[in-house]
Amino acid sequence: MAKFVIAGRADCPYYAKTELLADYLQKNLPDFRIHKITQRPEVWEDWLKDVCEKNKWSHKNSPIIWRELLDRGGKGLLLGGYNEFLEHAQLYYDVTSSMTTELMMVIAQENLGAHIQKEQEEEGLKTCINPLQVWITSASAPACYNLIPILTSGEVFGMHTEISITLFDNKQAEEYLKSLVMETQDLASPVLRSVSICTKVEEAFCQAHIIVVLDDSTDKEVFTLEDCLRSRVPLCRLYGYLIEKNAHESVRVIVGGKTFVNLKTVLLMRYAPRIAHNIIAVALGVEGEAKAILARKLKTTPSYIKDVIIWGNISGNNYVDLRKTRVYRYESAIWGPLHYSRPLLNLIFDSEWIKREFVATLKNLTATGRQFGGILAAHSIATTLKYWYHGSPPGEIVSLGILSEGQFGIPKGIVFSMPVKFENGTWVVLTDLKDTEISEQIMTRMTSDLIQEKLVALGDKIHFQPYQSETELRKKDKRISLPITDDSQKEQVSDEHKDLVPHEEKNPVMSDAAYFLNQIPQTTFEKPQSLEFLNGFEGKTVES
């Protein structure tokens, strides 16, 4: 097999004559093959110089012809230029060319036009297969490390959708991000077009199609709760401005994490109003924790438990609704096909366990965040994105934090977790669910903290006051009015009145305020980390 490579300047008449002769030989000889390469006149010399340096050849004119030694596995063998190829064809194949100079010039101009058209077609093709631009903020957070392999597996967006990932963080995290880029490239994922880092504010979210907002890196110290709430505003204002300015018009923003998730989401909506309808908060993490606790009680698999509804504040004062929850493939006296399920509340006969141990366990997990680590956060975000693009499983209820429009009697203007289903690239609130009414007392408890968080963060309220029911206030008043003489009496009074709070008021989880207060060291106060994050960026902070 003889394979020749013919390369030349697109407007070179000698390349045109060589090409015509080579076409004739390929058509008439069974073992003669050619490969053509053309270059624009302005880049020809640089291209030729690089090829000659790489192969240690010496050639200065157009065209250049070499033979590929396919049968020997060696590097190409330089034949020469136009004259050498003409001589080779005459000697070995007894074929020559009688093309006139005038015809050579005409074909050369046609070659140049064809080359330019081919380049334009290739550029147009590239725009048609533009990869999905995915930006991850606070990319040094543990959740990002676990999220990248899921995104590059092809399970989220599909194996036919290429993605480009940009890791966005402050300048101090640059070295870590570089090592993360190398690890991501080592995955050799077929859907990953590129992965890069960004530490400059003005370049953030450029043409982003998807933005994943993770928890900011936390310091060991904070001021008061009110200062922590207000410290979320500068970063969300900055993100909102950059999203409006740089992101793609159809960008989708998904907010994850374990602290102040609802607050960050509503602030982003405030400062990026153009795409507010495409900003959501992830609630599947809390849902997963609840399913795992229930599965351990029933000695089954968490994935067999469906339709757990999370109401309210995702990272704080919420209500885990089990009235619609069903269990599939449960090993019991009653068996059925794979689609057969039974109500969960009919399988857990110990109602006191639901009211006390289940509530206390979930409250402890959510309030402290001890088990809401990088793996759970990453999986929750990836699953929500998958549902957003491809739809949620038919008939299944999904919990999602979205802006309230008054559904279920929820006040407007706050981000609230509620039951939805994903279809056709968006979500639909399941307002037609039966037997999902929530008592006024529980609803007030959930909405009060969310409204106060927003007011305090925006400066419309000075102090945050956690919601207290009338029963709790009466209990507090009784404690204050009772005389306390020593520690033993103090403990006795506390135990005596602790049962005054009805079970339905003992919520599954604490508010964000309680979480925050649990994290404050006993002897130190902290600096708001969000401001440190802004100061860590290279360049000036952009203000709305």
Side-chain angles (χ1 to χ4, degrees):
M1 172 70 71
K3 180 178 180 180
F4 289 88
V5 179
I6 303 172
R9 203 174 65 243
D11 63 346
C12 174
Y14 293 101
Y15 171 82
K17 190 170 184 176
T18 304
E19 177 190 28
L20 199 63
L21 177 59
D23 286 339
Y24 175 82
L25 292 173
Q26 180 173 250
K27 184 178 180 180
N28 291 279
L29 298 175
D31 295 330
F32 189 94
R33 295 290 180 269
I34 61 171
H35 176 66
K36 305 174 189 177
I37 300 175
T38 56
Q39 297 291 337
R40 281 179 177 264
E42 58 269 22
V43 301
W44 164 253
E45 291 186 3
D46 292 336
W47 184 87
L48 179 62
K49 182 179 179 181
D50 291 341
V51 170
C52 290
E53 287 180 355
K54 179 181 178 181
N55 294 279
K56 297 181 180 181
W57 293 338
S58 178
H59 191 85
K60 297 182 178 180
N61 301 318
S62 173
I64 179 174
I65 300 102
W66 68 88
R67 181 176 176 179
E68 295 286 354
L69 302 178
L70 300 178
D71 54 341
R72 304 179 192 176
K75 69 174 185 177
L77 179 64
L78 178 65
L79 181 62
Y82 161 74
N83 291 327
E84 288 78 11
F85 184 73
L86 215 63
E87 182 179 349
H88 179 85
Q90 179 82 36
L91 180 63
Y92 282 91
Y93 308 113
D94 195 23
V95 177
T96 188
S97 175
S98 57
M99 182 185 295
T100 63
T101 303
E102 183 178 359
L103 183 58
M104 288 166 58
M105 299 298 292
V106 172
I107 296 178
Q109 292 303 312
E110 291 178 354
N111 283 343
L112 178 60
H115 179 82
I116 295 174
Q117 183 179 359
K118 182 181 178 182
E119 284 185 340
Q120 293 174 345
E121 291 176 353
E122 289 177 351
E123 288 298 323
L125 184 60
K126 288 180 181 179
T127 59
C128 293
I129 57 173
N130 187 38
L132 207 62
Q133 300 292 334
V134 180
W135 283 70
I136 305 176
T137 73
S138 303
S140 59
C144 179
Y145 189 86
N146 295 279
L147 179 61
I148 290 176
I150 305 177
L151 295 179
T152 57
S153 67
E155 295 180 4
V156 177
F157 306 110
M159 292 301 298
H160 300 291
T161 302
E162 291 188 340
I163 63 173
S164 289
I165 298 176
T166 305
L167 308 176
F168 181 48
D169 213 319
N170 55 36
K171 190 69 175 177
Q172 286 76 12
E174 187 170 7
E175 289 302 317
Y176 171 77
L177 296 184
K178 288 180 179 178
S179 64
L180 189 57
V181 166
M182 294 181 64
E183 282 197 64
T184 305
Q185 292 171 338
D186 292 343
L187 294 174
S189 167
V191 301
L192 181 63
R193 174 76 69 85
S194 65
V195 57
S196 57
I197 64 176
C198 177
T199 58
K200 296 181 179 180
V201 173
E202 62 272 13
E203 297 177 3
F205 311 134
C206 182
Q207 291 301 306
H209 297 104
I210 297 168
I211 299 174
V212 179
V213 180
L214 298 179
D215 273 331
D216 309 325
S217 54
T218 56
D219 296 330
K220 294 181 180 179
E221 301 182 11
V222 287
F223 282 129
T224 62
L225 170 62
E226 289 79 5
D227 289 329
C228 191
L229 289 170
R230 296 185 185 107
S231 71
R232 264 58 184 175
V233 176
L235 191 63
C236 290
R237 183 192 295 122
L238 174 64
Y239 281 177
Y241 171 81
L242 294 171
I243 291 171
E244 290 267 308
K245 179 184 176 184
N246 297 338
H248 193 272
E249 60 182 7
S250 62
V251 63
R252 303 182 182 190
V253 182
I254 182 167
V255 183
K258 58 185 178 183
T259 58
F260 301 104
V261 175
N262 296 55
L263 176 63
K264 289 187 293 185
T265 306
V266 78
L267 289 176
L268 285 174
M269 292 176 176
R270 178 184 179 90
Y271 296 116
R274 180 175 60 85
I275 53 97
H277 61 286
N278 266 358
I279 303 177
I280 61 175
V282 179
L284 292 185
V286 182
E287 188 177 315
E289 289 178 332
K291 289 179 179 179
I293 298 171
L294 295 168
R296 286 192 288 271
K297 176 66 175 177
L298 293 173
K299 295 181 173 55
T300 185
T301 304
S303 62
Y304 294 168
I305 301 175
K306 308 290 184 182
D307 302 339
V308 175
I309 303 175
I310 309 298
W311 298 90
N313 192 345
I314 296 166
S315 54
N317 199 355
N318 54 38
Y319 174 66
V320 180
D321 192 347
L322 305 179
R323 288 173 291 180
K324 294 293 181 183
T325 306
R326 304 190 68 84
V327 183
Y328 292 78
R329 302 170 66 177
Y330 185 64
E331 296 184 8
S332 65
I334 301 176
W335 282 82
L338 294 179
H339 63 270
Y340 173 74
S341 63
R342 300 173 64 186
L344 177 133
L345 295 179
N346 290 353
L347 298 176
I348 298 181
F349 303 103
D350 186 359
S351 60
E352 288 300 312
W353 180 88
I354 292 285
K355 293 178 181 179
R356 296 182 182 276
E357 188 174 339
F358 171 71
V359 168
T361 303
L362 190 59
K363 174 180 179 180
N364 184 52
L365 289 177
T366 309
T368 61
R370 285 184 302 188
Q371 295 214 5
F372 197 86
I375 295 177
L376 178 57
H379 182 266
S380 303
I381 292 169
T383 304
T384 305
L385 278 173
K386 180 181 178 180
Y387 291 169
W388 201 351
Y389 273 82
H390 303 291
S392 54
E396 189 170 321
I397 301 173
V398 179
S399 300
L400 184 69
I402 58 176
L403 188 66
S404 170
E405 297 179 356
Q407 305 97 327
F408 306 105
I410 302 166
K412 295 182 179 179
I414 60 174
V415 170
F416 202 89
S417 178
M418 59 185 77
V420 305
K421 66 176 179 179
F422 285 91
E423 60 181 9
N424 301 323
T426 186
W427 61 87
V428 178
V429 181
L430 299 177
T431 55
D432 57 346
L433 288 177
K434 297 180 180 179
D435 302 323
T436 57
E437 295 79 10
I438 300 176
S439 70
E440 182 179 353
Q441 187 179 29
I442 295 177
M443 182 64 74
T444 303
R445 177 185 289 275
M446 290 190 292
T447 58
S448 174
D449 286 351
L450 287 173
I451 293 172
Q452 285 198 79
E453 283 181 5
K454 182 179 177 182
L455 292 176
V456 172
L458 296 174
D460 297 328
K461 188 177 177 66
I462 298 176
H463 298 293
F464 184 95
Q465 297 176 342
Y467 172 79
Q468 288 183 311
S469 66
E470 293 181 1
T471 305
E472 290 172 324
L473 291 174
R474 288 196 302 269
K475 171 184 168 184
K476 183 178 179 181
D477 291 340
K478 287 184 178 180
R479 285 182 176 178
I480 294 174
S481 62
L482 288 172
I484 304 298
T485 57
D486 55 39
D487 291 341
S488 60
Q489 285 181 313
K490 185 176 181 180
E491 291 178 4
Q492 182 179 357
V493 171
S494 177
D495 292 337
E496 180 181 350
H497 292 275
K498 68 181 179 180
D499 292 328
L500 290 177
V501 183
H503 294 318
E504 60 269 17
E505 292 188 16
K506 297 177 182 178
N507 287 308
V509 294
M510 292 183 182
S511 64
D512 272 337
Y515 173 83
F516 174 85
L517 294 173
N518 280 347
Q519 305 307 307
I520 297 180
Q522 297 297 320
T523 58
T524 59
F525 289 94
E526 288 202 280
K527 186 176 183 181
Q529 53 81 23
S530 295
L531 301 180
E532 286 291 326
F533 180 74
L534 291 178
N535 293 334
F537 277 114
E538 181 179 323
K540 297 181 180 179
T541 301
V542 183
E543 292 194 6
S544 172

